[in-house]
């Protein structure tokens, strides 16, 4: 009997809290609707112009990225090219690979997909046999390694497949999420 009474009391308290919360949300929504109803043509035009300007800027940024080689996954021939590519882009993912390594081919497939999806980041690959100085300087000892470069500096690395579940059959989303944790991609 006592248990039923406390359950009833708990239910009533919960119901009251839910009603109060609903009323607050409804009042907030009503005030927003009222603001929109009271806007005149000039205010609406101003909002529209701000949105159009934001869209223009986004399109300009996209064109700038595409002109700098974003949107594709490509190989660079030498260490010198690496430094030039990194200088001209804010965010770069560089895959240090070797042709004979099977796991590098797996990463290539995923990086090609991500390069088309994430225009904000440049995706490159560099053969370690053509870049001994750079591998030494960046302390690259395991193949494959992804160097995550931001503002011209190596910020983080994905070494082997350890961070990707330590398996060959990870998903594109797993790699995408991992790269976004280092703020190299905008994960959506």
């Amino acid at each position: 009997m006592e248990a039923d009474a406390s359950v009833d009391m708990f239910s009533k308290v919960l119901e009251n809290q839910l009603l109060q919360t609903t009323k607050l949300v409804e009042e907030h929504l009503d005030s927003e609707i009222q603001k929109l109803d009271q806007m005149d043509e000039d205010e609406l035009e101003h909002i529209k112009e701000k949105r159009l300007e934001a869209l223009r800027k986004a399109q300009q940024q996209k064109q700038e990225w595409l002109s700098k080689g974003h949107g594709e996954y490509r190989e660079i021939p030498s260490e010198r090219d690496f430094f030039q590519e990194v200088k001209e882009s804010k965010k770069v993912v560089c895959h240090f690979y070797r042709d004979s390594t099977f796991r590098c081919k797996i990463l290539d497939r995923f990086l090609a997909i991500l390069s088309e999806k994430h225009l904000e980041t440049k995706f490159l690959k560099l053969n370690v046999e053509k870049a001994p100085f750079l591998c030494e300087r960046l302390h690259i000892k395991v193949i494959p390694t992804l160097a995550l470069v931001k503002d011209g500096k190596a910020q983080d690395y994905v070494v082997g497949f350890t961070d990707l579940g330590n398996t060959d059959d990870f998903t594109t989303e797993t790699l995408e999420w991992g790269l976004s944790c280092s703020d190299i991609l905008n994960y959506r």
Side-chain angles (χ1 to χ4, degrees):
M1 188 72 175
E2 213 173 283
D4 288 339
S6 59
V7 168
D8 285 342
M9 191 168 80
F10 178 74
S11 294
K12 288 180 181 181
V13 168
L14 187 61
E15 185 179 328
N16 282 337
Q17 289 290 352
L18 192 59
L19 271 171
Q20 287 176 349
T21 304
T22 304
K23 283 181 182 178
L24 284 173
V25 170
E26 188 176 351
E27 287 171 8
H28 178 72
L29 201 55
D30 286 344
S31 71
E32 290 297 316
I33 290 172
Q34 188 176 5
K35 280 182 196 174
L36 289 172
D37 285 343
Q38 292 176 353
M39 282 187 168
D40 62 9
E41 288 296 318
D42 290 338
E43 289 173 312
L44 288 172
E45 192 62 33
H46 178 70
I47 291 172
K48 181 180 171 184
E49 285 301 317
K50 282 176 58 176
R51 179 67 181 135
L52 285 172
E53 183 60 31
L55 288 171
R56 275 189 222 104
K57 282 185 179 181
Q59 185 61 28
Q60 282 178 326
Q61 181 66 66
K62 181 180 176 183
Q63 291 305 318
E64 181 183 335
W65 284 332
L66 290 172
S67 72
K68 290 181 177 180
H70 292 233
E72 61 181 336
Y73 176 54
R74 60 190 167 81
E75 183 167 0
I76 50 175
S78 70
E79 294 170 329
R80 186 178 309 152
D81 295 309
F82 172 83
F83 291 109
Q84 183 59 41
E85 295 282 352
V86 164
K87 269 190 233 172
E88 57 182 50
S89 294
K90 183 175 174 138
K91 296 177 181 181
V92 177
V93 172
C94 187
H95 175 202
F96 287 87
Y97 80 100
R98 182 177 290 128
D99 283 325
S100 60
T101 306
F102 175 72
R103 285 186 160 183
C104 291
K105 291 175 176 60
I106 294 171
L107 262 183
D108 281 342
R109 191 177 72 232
F110 291 119
L111 293 173
I113 292 167
L114 291 177
S115 68
E116 293 174 6
K117 183 176 178 183
H118 291 279
L119 295 180
E120 74 276 8
T121 304
K122 184 184 283 188
F123 288 83
L124 305 169
K125 68 189 230 178
L126 180 60
N127 190 330
V128 294
E129 293 166 356
K130 296 179 183 176
F133 169 76
L134 193 55
C135 289
E136 179 75 26
R137 186 172 173 192
L138 296 177
H139 307 290
I140 294 173
K141 305 212 182 310
V142 175
I143 301 302
T145 292
L146 298 179
L148 312 180
V149 182
K150 189 170 180 184
D151 296 321
K153 295 182 180 152
Q155 174 182 311
D156 202 359
Y157 298 92
V158 176
V159 180
F161 283 10
T162 306
D163 295 338
L164 303 171
N166 222 13
T167 179
D168 289 353
D169 60 352
F170 60 90
T171 64
T172 307
E173 290 76 21
T174 301
L175 178 59
E176 183 178 24
W177 180 81
L179 295 175
S180 70
C181 287
S182 295
D183 196 31
I184 291 295
L185 301 181
N186 299 332
Y187 188 70
R188 308 185 265 292

